Amino acid sequence: MPQPTPPLPPNLPLRPRRGFVAAPVVITGLAGGLALAALTLFGAAHEAWALILAAAVLAVTLVQARRARQEAARLQAEMAQTHVEVAPGALSLPYTSVLNALPDPVMVISAHEPDDLTGRRFVMVNRAGRRVLKIQREAGLLVTAIRDPDVLEVVDEALFGGLEGEAVYEPGGTQERIFRVYARPLGVASDGAQLALLVLHDETDIRRVERMRADFLANASHELRTPLASLSGFIETLRGHARGDEGARDRFLGIMHVQAERMSRLIDDLMSLSRIELNEHVRPLEEVDLAAAVLDVIDALAPLARDKGVVLEAETPPRGTVSTIGDRDQVIQVTQNLVDNALKYSVSGGTIRILLQADLSAEACVAPRMAEAARLSLLTPDHGPERFAALSVIDTGPGMEREHLPRLTERFYRVEGQKSGEKLGTGLGLAIVKHIVNRHRGGLAVESAPGRGAVFTAYFPLAEGPAADTPDNSHDVAKVS
């Protein structure tokens, strides 16, 4: 028993059967011929009816001919969309729209001679490939897009050896990316060129998880060894000869509490750093009010500054006038880490300036703010003509020698001979700042001179729109003592 034909999905372009366009025109033409024959047979008596019939048939014929032209134009446009000529005289590749929809970069490589190293060309690259490899054209020399020797070797094996191959490819840049490259032979093109397919699969997340696990275990085992040994020793002492000594017990319990808090902070910072590194290559999508974030951090740290006798001076544009595309919690964490670090190394009676400036170039963000001081860019973004907002935290602490600056963002690095107050840090604050700023496609710089303090500047790309047009003289000045 015949089954009913299932209905077609909506908005699906229908391809007419052969003869669908020409059949209505032929039928109406035959009808017109019959009308003329009727005019001849019946004579003048039915001349009026025959003329009316002929006019009607002519009108229907014209309408059908117009529809036929429209259908032919639609078919031609559909074929042009499905088969794209990627370059003059190059191979016509079908299903280009399908390849552009793939999330992984895909390239088709063409070459004629094995000895012609500059003859390897990509004759097609999909949209993901153009974005990842930062190329503008759909055809060109392969070495202008990929220069990795391992990748070029597996491409040659696929082109001229007919072998399938794999390689690991790291494009470089401030946002680390790791790809697994697959090369597959495609045979011979109509012009005699050898063809190969190149697919780049993103393995950044997998590699980051593996490295995060290894780093966490190594760092935790190294940094937790000292407080654990201290706790173990004090517990053994309290269980031994100091069991009845109330003064020693209170003192030992206080030290144990401090060590336990340090372990807790260390684990929290390690987990935070691991989460940030895991998503460092994924840019945030929310719009963040930088001025509001900075002012919120200053309000939160004001009591701590008062207790220490340090003055906080903030110079920021009004709320709602400076924004970036980012993660608000992470932007607050950057500000809090920089200001908290300045508080740790400031003495009573000192001053900390928090300066937020908008609509600056990358060069202006790292311009000197402290005369005759050592300067270093700890992170330089891969940027074009963007404009940035720069957050500078200027303290009057002990400062640092030049040789310490390159290592400031290393994990657990501390400048020898400096004390950071009663609340010891974990040595991860600036490392967290660097990775957060890198995720936001920004930059980080430091200036310092011994005995004169330090300046840390983190800068973020401005969001598109009116927020980037803040006048330089519209600043709110706040002073907290």
Side-chain angles (χ1 to χ4, degrees), residues 336-346 352 395 429-430 456:
Q336 184 165 338
N337 282 10
L338 292 179
V339 178
D340 188 59
N341 200 57
L343 281 171
K344 289 176 184 177
Y345 292 98
S346 295
I352 297 175
D395 64 62
L430 291 178
F456 285 90

Side-chain angles (χ1 to χ4, degrees), residues 324-396:
T324 186
I325 302 300
D327 185 310
R328 176 176 170 79
D329 291 338
Q330 291 188 348
V331 170
I332 289 178
Q333 191 172 7
V334 167
T335 308
Q336 184 165 338
N337 282 10
L338 292 179
V339 178
D340 188 59
N341 200 57
L343 281 171
K344 289 176 184 177
Y345 292 98
S346 295
V347 297
S348 179
T351 301
I352 297 175
R353 292 182 60 212
I354 300 99
L355 178 63
L356 179 63
Q357 296 174 297
D359 198 18
L360 301 177
S361 65
E363 293 76 13
C365 291
V366 296
R369 291 173 172 80
M370 180 183 293
E372 299 180 358
R375 296 191 302 275
L376 181 67
S377 180
L378 300 173
L379 174 66
T380 302
D382 296 331
H383 59 80
E386 294 104 336
R387 307 295 288 177
F388 295 86
L391 170 65
S392 298
V393 178
I394 308 168
D395 64 62
T396 55

Side-chain angles (χ1 to χ4, degrees), residues 107-293:
M107 304 177 76
V108 175
I109 313 300
S110 170
H112 287 84
E113 299 294 336
D115 297 332
D116 185 10
L117 299 180
T118 61
R120 279 67 163 164
R121 300 180 60 85
F122 58 91
V123 295
M124 194 285 299
V125 56
N126 67 347
R127 186 177 295 112
R130 292 193 295 272
R131 182 181 67 254
V132 170
L133 300 174
K134 299 178 181 179
I135 54 180
Q136 303 297 325
R137 298 181 299 171
E138 294 184 351
L141 293 176
L142 179 60
V143 293
T144 62
I146 300 177
R147 299 180 180 87
D148 188 271
D150 295 335
V151 177
L152 297 178
E153 182 178 353
V154 297
V155 169
D156 283 352
E157 291 176 353
L159 286 171
F160 303 107
L163 302 176
E164 299 181 355
E166 299 179 9
V168 176
Y169 174 53
E170 299 184 26
T174 56
Q175 284 77 38
E176 182 184 18
R177 303 290 296 274
I178 302 174
F179 293 92
R180 172 72 62 176
V181 179
Y182 301 91
R184 301 290 185 267
L186 290 181
V188 183
S190 58
D191 61 351
Q194 299 289 334
L195 297 178
L197 179 69
L198 197 66
V199 180
L200 283 72
H201 180 65
D202 195 346
E203 293 187 348
T204 306
D205 290 341
I206 299 175
R207 297 298 184 94
R208 286 183 183 274
V209 169
E210 295 174 353
R211 189 170 59 191
M212 179 188 70
R213 186 185 301 112
D215 289 346
F216 182 84
L217 291 175
N219 293 326
S221 62
H222 179 267
E223 292 296 321
L224 293 177
R225 185 178 291 113
T226 300
L228 281 175
S230 177
L231 288 173
S232 177
F234 284 126
I235 290 173
E236 194 165 330
T237 302
L238 289 175
R239 294 177 62 184
H241 63 274
R243 177 180 301 180
D245 190 343
E246 294 185 1
R249 183 177 58 195
D250 291 341
R251 185 172 69 255
F252 290 161
L253 288 175
I255 297 175
M256 292 169 65
H257 180 69
V258 171
Q259 294 295 334
E261 285 187 338
R262 179 167 179 259
M263 291 172 60
S264 177
R265 291 197 304 271
L266 180 63
I267 293 174
D268 289 343
D269 285 350
L270 279 173
M271 293 298 297
S272 177
L273 182 58
S274 298
R275 286 192 297 268
I276 294 166
E277 287 182 331
L278 186 63
N279 297 316
E280 191 171 348
H281 64 289
V282 181
R283 189 170 186 174
L285 300 177
E286 301 176 2
E287 186 168 344
V288 180
D289 186 347
L290 284 175

Side-chain angles (χ1 to χ4, degrees), residues 37-157:
L39 178 63
T40 304
L41 293 175
F42 294 112
H46 300 284
E47 181 178 356
W49 290 105
L51 289 175
I52 293 174
L53 177 61
V57 170
L58 178 62
V60 173
T61 303
L62 293 176
V63 171
Q64 293 293 344
R66 181 182 179 185
R67 290 180 178 176
R69 288 195 298 271
Q70 292 176 347
E71 182 67 15
R74 188 186 69 80
L75 287 175
Q76 186 176 4
E78 181 181 341
M79 292 296 294
Q81 184 181 9
T82 306
H83 297 74
V84 177
E85 190 77 17
V86 297
L91 176 67
S92 180
L93 299 171
Y95 310 118
T96 304
S97 58
V98 176
L99 294 176
N100 280 329
L102 295 176
D104 289 337
V106 177
M107 304 177 76
V108 175
I109 313 300
S110 170
H112 287 84
E113 299 294 336
D115 297 332
D116 185 10
L117 299 180
T118 61
R120 279 67 163 164
R121 300 180 60 85
F122 58 91
V123 295
M124 194 285 299
V125 56
N126 67 347
R127 186 177 295 112
R130 292 193 295 272
R131 182 181 67 254
V132 170
L133 300 174
K134 299 178 181 179
I135 54 180
Q136 303 297 325
R137 298 181 299 171
E138 294 184 351
L141 293 176
L142 179 60
V143 293
T144 62
I146 300 177
R147 299 180 180 87
D148 188 271
D150 295 335
V151 177
L152 297 178
E153 182 178 353
V154 297
V155 169
D156 283 352
E157 291 176 353

